[in-house]
Amino acid sequence: MSKKIMIVEDSALMRRVFSDIIKSDSSFEVVALCQNGKEAYEKLKADADEYDVVITDILMPIMTGIELLEKIQAEKIDVIPIVISSLIGDGSDTLEEIKALKLNSLEFLNKPSNFIEARGEEFSISVLQVLHSVLGLKRKSSRVSSVATAPKRTNTRTTNKVTRTGRKMTGGNKLVAIACSTGGPKALNQVVPYIDKNINAPVVIVQHMPVGFTEILANKLNDISAVHVKEAEHDEILQKGYVYIAPGGKQLRIEKIPGGHKVKLTDEPAVGGLKPCADLMYESLENSNYDQVLCVVLTGMGSDGTKGITRLGKTKNIYVVAQNEQTCVVYGMPKSIFLAGVVDEVLPLQDIGTAISKNVGVR
């Protein structure tokens, strides 16, 4: 039986684009097209059993996507929400509403910046793979609730270690730098909680998400992890045993200071529609005092991270871990860095957290 999808988007063009993509897969059926959150909410209240997934924009007239998510959360409506949004962010008026949400199973799709991109094969594949992923995890429970305990690891055993360059992480001053996009929030739930609390390095993450949602992600991961997880703040000094997530709507760079390094958040333009952009984060490390950088590339559409890591490898001792295809929601970013020929290990998602601790070491 096909899964029933509701699309909530004030742009008629985007409604048509999403509808055409979803209808191309017989696993899914588009059963409702709504112009705003109020229209969607009324349909959900009338018969929530008619819908499996709600794909919703954030900024809409009458009722925003955030207000719709609040209704779904408060009334425990049993649907899986997927947010469509520009990753650049708008510093939005809905920021406080976003922070108030207790989001758990929530995925993001980056809204294409133009019609050509919207009609492109990569975007179509991303939409369908996200739908297959979230529906494969569907449970009959509230999906916008907080998490109090660490997630269980999956038992998936697919491609194991693949060695390409023969490099090793040895002694010295180290940093872990992670890049991820579509499917990243779920992936980070299977990585960060398994990083040793005494890891001998700071961890910096660029996850493509809109303004406000990165703070929610950081808080949720902090609740279920042994390491300290937080949204990165401007000028804060990096500490071992801490995980810093780049804020949505900002570019993150690492800057060396006497005796250490600090976070530098900037309002630089988006790069390829991305703000934060992993390439900028990796490139900033070229001038750092880190002796070694463990670069980790997880699930995501596109190639963000490949250019920055490749450049970084020309000036720094790097070790590169990529998530394998079988456990990715979208095998884009890991594929790109693998094809660049600089990957040291290809690992299934459930092995990456412990691999980080093993390669970096503990205090």
Side-chain angles (χ1 to χ4, degrees):
M1 181 182 295
S2 59
K3 298 298 183 180
K4 298 176 180 180
I5 314 299
M6 173 189 285
I7 299 169
V8 191
E9 166 63 64
D10 59 331
S11 165
L13 173 61
M14 287 306 300
R15 288 198 300 273
R16 189 179 78 184
V17 167
F18 274 99
S19 182
D20 289 347
I21 291 171
I22 293 167
K23 287 177 180 178
S24 71
D25 190 321
S26 60
S27 300
F28 311 117
E29 178 185 0
V30 177
V31 294
L33 296 171
C34 303
Q35 299 181 52
N36 56 67
K38 183 174 185 294
E39 183 181 347
Y41 173 64
E42 289 173 350
K43 290 181 182 293
L44 289 169
K45 283 295 291 181
D47 193 353
D49 290 338
E50 281 296 306
Y51 311 99
D52 295 294
V53 175
V54 173
I55 300 176
T56 181
D57 193 5
I58 293 180
L59 299 178
M60 296 179 291
I62 304 176
M63 180 185 286
T64 69
I66 298 302
E67 291 169 330
L68 175 60
L69 290 175
E70 287 177 326
K71 294 284 190 183
I72 291 172
Q73 174 182 273
E75 300 181 27
K76 295 182 172 59
I77 298 173
D78 194 24
V79 293
I80 299 174
I82 298 176
V83 169
I84 318 164
S85 176
S86 165
L87 296 176
I88 298 172
D90 59 4
S92 71
D93 294 335
T94 58
L95 182 57
E96 292 307 316
E97 294 173 315
I98 293 172
K99 291 180 179 179
L101 286 172
K102 302 295 184 182
L103 303 175
N104 179 19
S105 296
L106 184 64
E107 190 53 82
F108 295 86
L109 286 167
N110 185 22
K111 182 182 288 187
S113 58
N114 56 65
F115 183 76
I116 295 175
E117 182 182 334
R119 287 296 189 186
E121 181 181 7
E122 186 177 29
F123 181 67
S124 296
I125 291 172
S126 178
V127 172
L128 295 176
Q129 288 182 326
V130 166
L131 282 171
H132 278 286
S133 175
V134 297
L135 284 163
L137 296 175
K138 183 179 179 183
R139 299 183 182 92
K140 283 293 178 181
S141 61
S142 177
R143 295 181 181 83
V144 201
S145 60
S146 60
V147 177
T149 57
K152 294 181 179 179
R153 294 186 191 234
T154 62
N155 291 320
T156 306
R157 290 287 166 183
T158 50
T159 303
N160 287 313
K161 181 176 180 178
V162 176
T163 302
R164 291 181 61 83
T165 64
R167 294 180 298 225
K168 293 183 179 180
M169 295 286 284
T170 54
N173 191 22
K174 303 174 185 177
L175 175 77
V176 180
I178 300 174
C180 46
S181 187
T182 310
K186 185 184 78 171
L188 291 172
N189 270 270
Q190 289 291 324
V191 172
V192 177
Y194 302 105
I195 296 175
D196 193 285
K197 67 179 181 180
N198 294 315
I199 186 170
N200 193 34
V203 180
V204 180
I205 298 174
V206 168
Q207 160 66 53
H208 301 153
M209 293 177 86
V211 174
F213 286 97
T214 43
E215 182 178 358
I216 295 169
L217 175 64
N219 291 340
K220 186 184 75 168
L221 287 172
N222 188 61
D223 288 341
I224 60 175
S225 303
V227 287
H228 303 280
V229 186
K230 68 188 299 296
E231 187 179 53
E233 299 178 59
H234 184 63
D235 279 346
E236 73 176 313
I237 297 173
L238 297 184
Q239 301 180 62
K240 296 177 180 180
Y242 278 74
V243 175
Y244 304 88
I245 299 180
K250 294 286 185 180
Q251 299 292 11
L252 181 144
R253 293 179 178 272
I254 304 302
E255 190 174 90
K256 63 182 177 182
I257 58 174
H261 296 81
K262 70 176 183 178
V263 172
K264 183 179 180 181
L265 301 179
T266 77
D267 290 316
E268 295 169 83
V271 178
L274 302 175
K275 193 174 180 180
C277 171
D279 279 331
L280 292 186
M281 181 263 289
Y282 286 119
E283 289 173 12
S284 74
L285 293 170
E286 293 175 34
N287 297 318
S288 73
N289 285 328
Y290 287 109
D291 301 307
Q292 299 180 78
V293 181
L294 176 60
C295 305
V296 180
V297 182
L298 304 178
T299 176
M301 186 173 74
S303 61
D304 190 27
T306 296
K307 178 182 177 182
I309 291 172
T310 303
R311 279 187 50 171
L312 183 62
K314 295 177 181 179
T315 59
K316 291 288 181 183
N317 181 13
I318 63 172
Y319 190 86
V320 184
V321 175
Q323 185 178 348
N324 71 348
E325 181 176 5
Q326 294 91 333
T327 60
C328 280
V329 172
V330 178
Y331 187 56
M333 288 164 55
K335 178 181 180 181
S336 177
I337 191 64
F338 180 82
L339 293 177
V342 295
V343 172
D344 297 286
E345 289 187 82
V346 176
L347 296 173
L349 180 63
Q350 67 272 12
D351 290 346
I352 291 177
T354 52
I356 290 172
S357 299
K358 177 181 177 181
N359 278 293
V360 174
V362 295
R363 292 167 286 163

